Amino acid sequence: MTADEFAALCVKPETTLRQALAALDATARGVLMVLQPDGRLRRTLTDGDLRRAALDHASDTTPVSRLPEQSPLTLGQDAGPAAALALLDKHQIDHLPVVDPDGRPVDIILRRELTQRIWLSSPHLGAEETAFVEDAFKTNWIAPLGPHVDGFERELAAHVGIGHAAAVSSGTAAIHLALLLLGVKPGDTVFCSALTFVGSCNPILYCGARPVFIDSEPQTWNMSPAALERAFEWAKLEGRLPRCVIIVNLYGQSADMDALLPVCARHGVPVLEDAAESLGALYKGRASGTFGAIGVYSFNGNKIITTSGGGMLVAAGKAEMDRARKLATQAREPAAHYEHVEVGFNYRMSNVLAGIGRGQLRVLDERVTQRRRVFDTYARALADMPQVQWMPEPSGYRSTRWLTCFTLAGDHAQERRDRLLRSLERHSIEARPVWKPMQLQPLFEDAPFFAHAPDHDVSAGLFEGGVCLPSGSNLTDTQLDRVTEELRRALARIEDARAPA
Ligand SMILES: *Cc1c(COP(=O)(O)O)cnc(C)c1O
């Protein structure tokens, strides 16, 4: 609800029963909050309260302060939706005012919202997935491998405009295989974007290699060319260049490839492009994921298209992708008796899931349009809130806006971010902080890190104030309204609290 709608729910003790009835009618939330002169909540008022007053022969002009005393049920500001629902159920009510430590209502929870959760990024099936899956059943191709796997690989490679693809069981498995294809061995170092999901860099550890983390730049939130340069200078001094550089394209947007690729090329180090979050994005007209020696996509449930779980490697050359497929099927040599000369993995995608993928690929472009529309809706609705700084989309980039993200400008960003997230969560709206960068993760506390500038850790700053909003391509206008209204109200409240008294 908007700030005005919330204000309309708050009435004074001198409000008459007739006025209260009219206000209940006009606001249509089934509840009013009667405030004391000092702003504290005196009681709530429902249709039932007014009906009981009428039965007691109270007149229309009776002030609501004359109704029998009632100590209102309320929720503290830190409580989550589970606590709210428990209280609503226990007392068989449908709304619950949220009060600050002084007892002043700052928010109200409606049962209706709690049963209609808005997700960060939920799967969105198209029209054709079922047909592909049914085909897999009809032809008894339930086993891993099969015609849909081949079809999905071919169609995805064609869609992004690259030679070859290999479908595997997850994006993480794809990155693991890509590192092996690029020759990463125990003791090697691998450079990797610092601001990312851990799936980008866990495979470095699987290979027994050492990650070195490279900060973000403010313009793209992706790998900083300046930090990459300094990391290479350091590596040269150490006498050990990295085996490869993992460049991550975050939240649907490519990194600045024209600045990053020449740095890697100058040192003769190949690039693994983690495009798990950027399938469908373009950089200077070319598909994200096709810039590195190997590119990787993910079809995890929250990605822009999904197979419920899956991943894909892409490369220009057939030989690499043949090798990826071999490593993904237990590195089986072409012999009837299962000959093995090297270690392999069970990483192939199943034919059933590839069928889902083929259907999803057909709606990818539509999903990009829908996600960009979600971003535009938020950007328009919050245009007058200067503290909200959207993830930039420089010219020449076309982000998918897989997730709509912003940072909160100003001091105490992390504390304000957390209050904002708690407020949204109370209304069963799933928003999240921006990824916690890897140099701040206990798992990687010993890994070297190169900041954007010597005293400027960009990714840590993005994490502190960064928020990802619900961004699914299947969000309805009503849901988007619900999010923007709660967001505006929560932001206003948080900024109010900071204003000098
Ligand atoms: C999702 C994701 C991965 C891992 O993909 P899975 O399919 O979940 O294994 C890797 N990197 C990034 C940046 C991701 O967002």
Side-chain angles (χ1 to χ4, degrees):
M1 79 183 65
T2 65
D4 286 348
E5 285 166 339
F6 181 75
L9 297 182
C10 300
V11 300
K12 295 182 172 141
E14 6 355 324
T15 307
T16 64
L17 293 184
R18 174 197 290 278
Q19 288 167 331
L21 192 59
L24 266 177
D25 240 19
T27 52
R29 305 276 175 177
V31 68
L32 296 175
M33 290 174 283
V34 182
L35 306 196
Q36 311 271 36
D38 63 4
R40 282 182 304 124
L41 180 66
R42 179 183 178 120
R43 60 166 299 151
T44 55
L45 206 56
T46 62
D47 279 318
D49 294 322
L50 296 182
R51 224 176 313 117
R52 277 186 290 279
L55 289 173
D56 286 346
H57 307 291
S59 87
D60 279 359
T61 54
T62 308
V64 296
S65 56
R66 295 259 290 276
L67 296 181
E69 294 275 323
Q70 174 221 64
S71 56
L73 285 164
T74 59
L75 200 65
Q77 276 173 293
D78 290 337
L85 193 60
L87 213 55
L88 291 172
D89 283 345
K90 179 164 173 221
H91 297 278
Q92 299 277 298
I93 50 177
D94 293 324
H95 10 67
L96 202 52
V98 177
V99 295
D100 70 11
D102 297 326
R104 286 186 297 244
V106 292
D107 200 359
I108 188 161
I109 309 286
L110 308 176
R111 178 188 291 276
R112 173 154 40 91
E113 295 174 343
L114 297 184
T115 55
Q116 295 170 11
R117 186 166 175 78
I118 297 179
W119 300 97
L120 187 75
S121 176
S122 73
H124 185 182
L125 289 183
E128 299 189 48
E129 289 83 348
T130 324
F132 282 114
V133 172
E134 269 172 14
D135 175 79
F137 275 79
K138 276 210 290 275
T139 54
N140 204 28
W141 274 112
I142 303 297
L145 310 186
H148 286 328
V149 176
D150 302 339
F152 189 31
E153 289 173 346
R154 216 172 37 239
E155 288 158 8
L156 184 120
H159 193 99
V160 300
I162 201 166
H164 300 272
V168 293
S169 52
S170 72
T172 308
I175 293 170
H176 186 193
L177 293 178
L179 290 175
L180 296 172
L181 292 175
L182 295 173
V184 175
K185 305 229 159 38
D188 282 348
T189 53
V190 172
F191 289 1
C192 183
S193 303
L195 186 63
T196 188
F197 171 60
V198 73
S200 298
C201 38
N202 262 335
I204 301 173
L205 303 183
Y206 304 166
C207 294
R210 264 180 54 207
V212 173
F213 291 110
I214 317 290
D215 200 7
S216 298
E217 58 167 357
Q219 302 92 301
T220 61
W221 293 21
N222 284 314
M223 190 182 278
S224 155
L228 180 65
E229 288 274 14
R230 277 190 288 110
F232 268 116
E233 291 314 313
W234 164 84
K236 269 200 320 217
L237 286 178
E238 294 268 298
R240 198 166 61 167
L241 286 176
R243 187 67 64 182
C244 75
V245 178
I246 304 178
I247 301 179
V248 182
N249 306 304
L250 222 53
Y251 298 128
Q253 175 163 281
S254 176
D256 186 359
M257 294 302 174
D258 280 353
L260 296 168
L261 296 181
V263 180
C264 301
R266 196 153 22 91
H267 295 97
V269 175
V271 167
L272 193 181
E273 198 184 353
D274 180 352
E277 300 182 7
S278 65
L279 176 60
L282 299 176
Y283 175 78
K284 305 196 176 170
R286 186 165 144 196
S288 186
T290 64
F291 289 86
I294 300 177
V296 161
Y297 301 109
S298 163
F299 313 110
N300 186 31
N302 62 3
K303 298 299 194 314
I304 194 158
I305 61 170
T306 180
T307 57
S308 80
M312 190 83 82
L313 296 94
V314 295
K318 179 168 183 299
E320 288 114 300
M321 292 302 96
D322 284 343
R323 177 147 173 79
R325 279 184 283 263
K326 177 184 172 189
L327 290 177
T329 37
Q330 310 283 18
R332 191 183 144 195
E333 300 296 325
H337 59 263
Y338 289 82
E339 180 87 356
H340 299 280
V341 296
E342 62 184 329
V343 66
F345 306 87
N346 181 7
Y347 276 172
R348 268 305 244 170
M349 179 180 279
S350 87
N351 195 49
V352 175
L353 298 191
I356 300 176
R358 294 181 85 178
Q360 284 271 282
L361 194 56
R362 278 160 214 224
V363 291
L364 173 59
D365 293 342
E366 201 179 309
R367 297 292 179 262
V368 173
T369 308
Q370 289 160 326
R371 296 228 179 209
R372 289 183 61 89
R373 199 194 66 119
V374 167
F375 169 79
D376 290 340
T377 306
Y378 285 130
R380 256 197 318 275
L382 278 74
D384 60 338
M385 302 195 122
Q387 71 271 44
V388 171
Q389 312 222 306
W390 303 108
M391 180 178 182
E393 185 188 40
S395 91
Y397 294 64
R398 184 179 158 84
S399 169
T400 66
R401 297 288 184 183
W402 169 58
L403 294 186
T404 287
C405 311
F406 67 85
T407 55
L408 281 174
D411 299 338
H412 308 294
Q414 188 155 349
E415 185 195 318
R416 285 154 60 223
R417 175 202 74 187
D418 288 343
R419 289 184 54 199
L420 180 65
L421 293 176
R422 271 201 305 275
S423 297
L424 294 174
E425 183 57 33
R426 217 158 48 212
H427 292 278
S428 224
I429 295 169
E430 187 190 20
R432 294 202 178 212
V434 158
W435 297 126
K436 181 175 184 178
M438 295 303 130
Q439 76 275 15
L440 302 181
Q441 300 284 1
L443 176 61
F444 296 115
E445 64 186 356
D446 297 327
F449 166 69
F450 289 86
H452 177 59
D455 289 317
H456 189 190
D457 183 337
V458 172
S459 52
L462 293 171
F463 169 61
E464 275 169 23
V467 173
C468 306
L469 293 176
S471 307
S473 45
N474 47 5
L475 286 172
T476 63
D477 288 345
T478 315
Q479 288 177 313
L480 282 172
D481 282 348
R482 208 177 113 197
V483 181
T484 51
E485 286 171 7
E486 294 308 334
L487 202 53
R488 287 186 64 85
R489 215 152 51 81
L491 282 167
R493 207 163 55 230
I494 288 163
E495 304 310 319
D496 255 11
R498 291 169 70 225

